[in-house]
Amino acid sequence: MPTSLRSVLLRTTLAGAVFGLAAVSGAAANATTGAATPDPAETRSVVDPKPVTALQLLLEETASRGDPDAKLSYLTSDSKKAVAAFYAGRHHKPLWTADGAPTLTAYRLVARMERAEDDGLSPSDYALPADLISQVGRLDADDAARFERALSAALLTYAEHAQAGRVEPSSLSGYITAAPEKPEPALVLETLASSADPVSALDGYNPPHAGFQALRKALADLRKAAAEESGPPVVPAGKVLKEGVRDERVAVLRARLGLAPAEARDATAVTTVAADPAEAQETAQAGAAGTTEPGASNAATNAPVAAQAETPGDPTLFDAGVKDAVFAFQEQNGLHADGIVGPRTLLALNATADDGMAISDVIANMERWRWLPRDLGAFHVFVNIPEFKARLVRDGHEVYETRVVVGKPANQTPVFSDEMDHLIVNPYWNVPYSIASQELLPSIRANPSGYLGSRNYEVLAGGRVVNPSSIDWSGVNLRSVRIRQRPGSGNALGRIKFMFPNQHSVYLHDTPSKRLFNRSARAFSHGCVRVQDPFDFADALLQLDPQWDAAALKKMVGGSEKRVDLKRHIPVHLTYFTAHVDEAGRLQRRPDIYGHNARLTKALEIEGWQDWQKFAVADPVKRAAPVRRAAPKKAVETLSIREQRAKVFRLRQRGSNDLYR
């Protein structure tokens, strides 16, 4: 390089260095000379870039060292992304620490999550690393960054669990299609950051429903009673207890009902005398065995009585006094009142006792509240499947209650929420494929016209009603025809049905068979919900609609199918609560008829979940479609031209069917 050029470059470099030094000290020079200088912010962006903080380094995962908190369950890839995006939006300014020390608000939030078991949740799911919590005072830069990230991620997880639950409902059963709404992560952290009371804001992610709050209190009461061993006595499981039976458990039952042994009985104990000693022994055994069928007779009490002897009060005897007390208990707790202690009454008696399953039952049902919409509707229908009850709720208060029949374990009533938008008076019943193929087809094959006609059924093919005799039932594809029952007094849906279109094709409806409503357990349908007094229910349902009431609907009964559209859609919630608190403040528990509790307690890993497995009900295996049997070979026959045309017409008709259920 020529010497002159080298000299020019050297002078240029030195000049740049001098200019840079002047820029750095420009502020001081300006103070004395008042000369103009470049904007300070622009100068810093060139010569004094903002340093990368430990929090930014941790959140952007640019640290070269390993992550000491990688095993925290709530530090998932999604939660880390959400936390990183939140802090990036605030230029990585700390939220839960100040000068490296956790704030008082941070400690309060940590303490609130440590009480998560009060909400039916698990505190260990949100626990911060022990080495961060154990430190007192100022944290170094790296630990302060870890504290920020861990607390924010734990809060996100708690908010999601509190609002939407810990278990995906559909993972438990295909019959559960409830869709809980998860909170938006960015909104959770923004809400907590801007709230004047972050602890209350965090608590607000739990369900606002009165039913959830009542179970939360019941859970605290159960735990307190268990710790103090002050709860009511547990009536042991065993055979059905009823009047005339002697059993050691009756003494416990008396204590549970508040009957003192001395008050047992001042009257008589029945002694049966029979001519044949063997007959007497057999009668006594029959009486002791009891029955599981409400209202069944007792062989011992119905046997001929030869003598009655005065005996002192026997605490193990189920006498008339005990029966009256059981009867009163059943009436107070919404049970079938028959004075007999069967499985459902026994569970209700032990609802608040430490039977080893009450606490897990309440926790499982608190989880189910999280599956429901936050807003149930100011006026809504609430069906509780295990309780066999439907209620109308207005402004948080029950205004109507009725008995219902729900699906069998093999044909369960699904769990979900939707909106009722219309009613149908004089409904047709479109027989589902499963019922037609498994229950109707064998009888139809035996006598098509006779069977279908006697039950007011009709057959549609190609959208038109056809003569059942025109169908080859021995080899028919039931998806190519539709069977439906005409409106009338014997229609399976009765006189009216209440529609809320849904993927399960279930609804509430009337029924011509009323006897099942007298049963204690009422799981007999194919999935739909049968209402005991449908027009009374309709009257209460339409109380906000001035155009319709039960009287107007009854005038429409008879004749063809008629649709009534509702101007105001009504939310409908088909729920599954085996534990709830009634309006009198009593904890009520019901049997796990579908085995949902067994699966849920296991999925939640609630202590004692193994006990629920004895009630587990396996998901019913769908039966395969009936095997199509080949029609017997027919002898070759000569048909007239008219008969040939009729046969071709039938074949074309069968091939052009557009089946729908």
Side-chain angles (χ1 to χ4, degrees):
M1 180 182 294
T3 304
S4 58
L5 180 58
R6 186 181 296 111
S7 300
V8 171
L9 292 174
L10 180 60
R11 286 197 298 273
T12 302
T13 303
L14 292 174
V18 171
F19 180 78
L21 291 173
V24 173
S25 59
N30 287 342
T32 56
T33 63
T37 61
D39 181 73
E42 295 179 0
T43 304
R44 284 197 302 272
S45 66
V46 175
V47 301
D48 188 21
K50 187 175 181 179
V52 177
T53 65
L55 178 59
Q56 182 179 357
L57 193 67
L58 181 65
L59 294 177
E60 294 178 352
E61 298 182 335
T62 57
S64 58
R65 58 181 173 77
D67 188 346
D69 304 323
K71 293 185 178 180
L72 292 175
S73 62
Y74 50 79
L75 271 182
T76 63
S77 59
D78 288 342
S79 67
K80 286 192 286 187
K81 288 178 183 177
V83 171
F86 171 76
Y87 279 98
R90 53 187 282 118
H91 306 293
H92 297 97
K93 181 181 178 181
L95 176 60
W96 311 121
T97 58
D99 297 327
T103 64
L104 180 60
T105 296
Y107 280 126
R108 286 174 175 169
L109 288 170
V110 170
R112 177 62 186 84
M113 290 191 291
E114 288 176 345
R115 300 195 305 274
E117 65 178 2
D118 296 345
D119 314 314
L121 301 174
S122 175
S124 61
D125 290 342
Y126 327 106
L128 269 62
D131 65 316
L132 296 181
I133 295 298
S134 62
Q135 294 188 48
V136 178
R138 186 183 179 91
L139 304 173
D140 64 33
D142 287 341
D143 285 348
R146 288 174 55 211
F147 185 90
E148 288 280 345
R149 183 184 67 169
L151 180 53
S152 293
L155 291 169
L156 287 180
T157 302
Y158 175 89
E160 179 177 322
H161 287 179
Q163 178 169 311
R166 291 178 281 170
V167 175
E168 178 63 36
S170 60
S171 68
L172 301 174
S173 170
Y175 288 103
I176 304 177
T177 55
E181 182 179 352
K182 296 182 179 181
E184 179 62 36
L187 187 58
V188 171
L189 292 176
E190 289 172 6
T191 299
L192 297 178
S194 61
S195 175
D197 187 355
V199 174
S200 295
L202 182 65
D203 182 67
Y205 285 98
N206 284 291
H209 313 113
F212 175 85
Q213 302 299 334
L215 283 181
R216 178 192 266 174
K217 182 180 182 302
L219 179 62
D221 293 341
L222 285 169
R223 284 175 169 155
K224 181 179 179 181
E228 298 176 353
E229 298 183 353
S230 59
V234 177
V235 181
K239 295 179 180 179
V240 169
L241 299 176
K242 64 180 190 176
E243 189 174 11
V245 170
R246 279 189 171 85
D247 192 303
E248 295 296 330
R249 295 178 299 139
V250 175
V252 183
L253 176 62
R254 290 179 181 277
R256 172 64 183 86
L257 295 171
L259 298 175
E263 300 171 357
R265 193 175 186 178
D266 296 328
T268 62
V270 178
T271 303
T272 302
V273 180
D276 184 355
E279 181 182 347
Q281 182 179 3
E282 181 179 339
T283 303
Q285 290 174 348
T291 177
T292 59
E293 182 67 22
S297 62
N298 186 342
T301 57
N302 290 338
V305 178
Q308 291 186 343
E310 294 287 338
T311 61
D314 182 356
T316 67
L317 175 64
F318 195 120
D319 58 18
V322 177
K323 180 179 180 179
D324 290 344
V326 170
F327 190 92
F329 175 86
Q330 291 170 326
E331 283 193 322
Q332 292 171 358
N333 289 271
L335 297 163
H336 179 72
D338 56 7
I340 298 173
V341 180
R344 298 177 66 78
T345 300
L346 182 67
L347 189 57
L349 286 164
N350 291 336
T352 57
D354 184 19
D355 64 352
M357 299 176 71
I359 290 176
S360 62
D361 198 6
V362 169
I363 292 174
N365 284 275
M366 292 175 74
E367 176 81 359
R368 291 190 184 99
W369 275 108
R370 298 183 165 99
W371 301 348
L372 286 169
R374 304 281 286 187
D375 182 6
L376 299 178
F379 182 67
H380 63 267
V381 179
F382 198 91
V383 177
N384 188 14
I385 296 167
E387 194 184 8
F388 310 117
K389 293 285 185 67
R391 296 177 173 87
L392 292 177
V393 180
R394 183 176 180 180
D395 298 328
H397 298 285
E398 178 186 318
V399 295
Y400 183 82
E401 176 185 298
T402 184
R403 291 186 170 198
V404 297
V405 171
V406 301
K408 298 176 288 188
N411 303 99
Q412 299 175 16
T413 296
V415 178
F416 69 100
S417 296
D418 215 302
E419 287 189 345
M420 186 182 299
D421 60 4
H422 71 280
L423 317 177
I424 294 180
V425 182
N426 308 317
Y428 278 98
W429 178 43
N430 294 299
V431 183
Y433 172 80
S434 59
I435 298 177
S437 61
Q438 297 170 18
E439 300 180 24
L440 271 61
L441 188 56
S443 298
I444 295 174
R445 282 175 173 163
N447 183 7
S449 298
Y451 179 81
L452 294 170
S454 64
R455 288 161 178 77
N456 205 23
Y457 288 118
E458 61 186 17
V459 181
L460 286 82
R464 296 180 300 172
V465 177
V466 299
N467 189 330
S469 299
S470 67
I471 305 296
D472 181 8
W473 295 103
S474 63
V476 67
N477 178 0
L478 280 180
R479 296 192 184 280
S480 66
V481 297
R482 180 159 59 105
I483 302 173
R484 71 181 184 184
Q485 192 174 35
R486 302 181 188 92
S489 58
N491 185 281
L493 304 184
R495 297 295 193 179
I496 186 171
K497 64 178 179 178
F498 306 85
M499 302 298 293
F500 41 103
N502 57 82
Q503 69 184 83
H504 303 282
S505 297
V506 301
Y507 37 84
L508 277 68
H509 66 86
D510 182 18
T511 176
S513 178
K514 303 294 186 181
R515 59 184 177 80
L516 294 177
F517 291 108
N518 295 324
R519 302 287 293 273
S520 177
R522 298 185 290 277
F524 299 107
S525 81
H526 285 85
C528 287
V529 179
R530 305 175 191 171
V531 182
Q532 183 175 21
D533 300 305
F535 285 100
D536 287 348
F537 177 74
D539 212 27
L541 186 73
L542 299 171
Q543 60 185 266
L544 302 181
D545 192 331
Q547 183 178 357
W548 294 102
D549 58 16
L553 294 175
K554 287 180 179 179
K555 291 179 181 179
M556 300 168 63
V557 170
S560 61
E561 185 175 83
K562 301 178 181 68
R563 172 171 172 147
V564 176
D565 289 316
L566 301 179
K567 291 184 177 180
R568 176 176 178 171
H569 292 187
I570 302 172
V572 177
H573 308 287
L574 302 186
T575 68
Y576 190 91
F577 286 103
T578 56
H580 72 281
V581 177
D582 63 19
E583 290 198 331
R586 297 182 295 256
L587 177 63
Q588 301 285 346
R589 291 173 59 201
R590 298 293 182 266
D592 184 19
I593 60 174
Y594 294 161
H596 291 337
N597 258 18
R599 300 183 194 94
L600 182 54
T601 53
K602 182 177 181 180
L604 292 173
E605 297 181 348
I606 301 174
E607 183 179 357
W609 65 264
Q610 295 89 344
D611 294 333
W612 281 101
Q613 297 309 295
K614 58 189 176 183
F615 299 108
V617 177
D619 281 326
V621 178
K622 292 185 178 179
R623 299 179 184 177
V627 178
R628 183 185 297 180
R629 298 175 181 175
K633 293 183 179 181
K634 297 181 180 180
V636 178
E637 57 182 344
T638 303
L639 302 176
S640 66
I641 293 177
R642 183 177 180 179
E643 291 172 332
Q644 290 179 27
R645 286 177 178 173
K647 182 176 181 180
V648 170
F649 174 79
R650 289 197 300 270
L651 291 174
R652 286 178 178 174
Q653 185 184 57
R654 188 185 308 169
S656 62
N657 290 337
D658 55 344
L659 171 79
Y660 57 94
R661 288 181 58 185

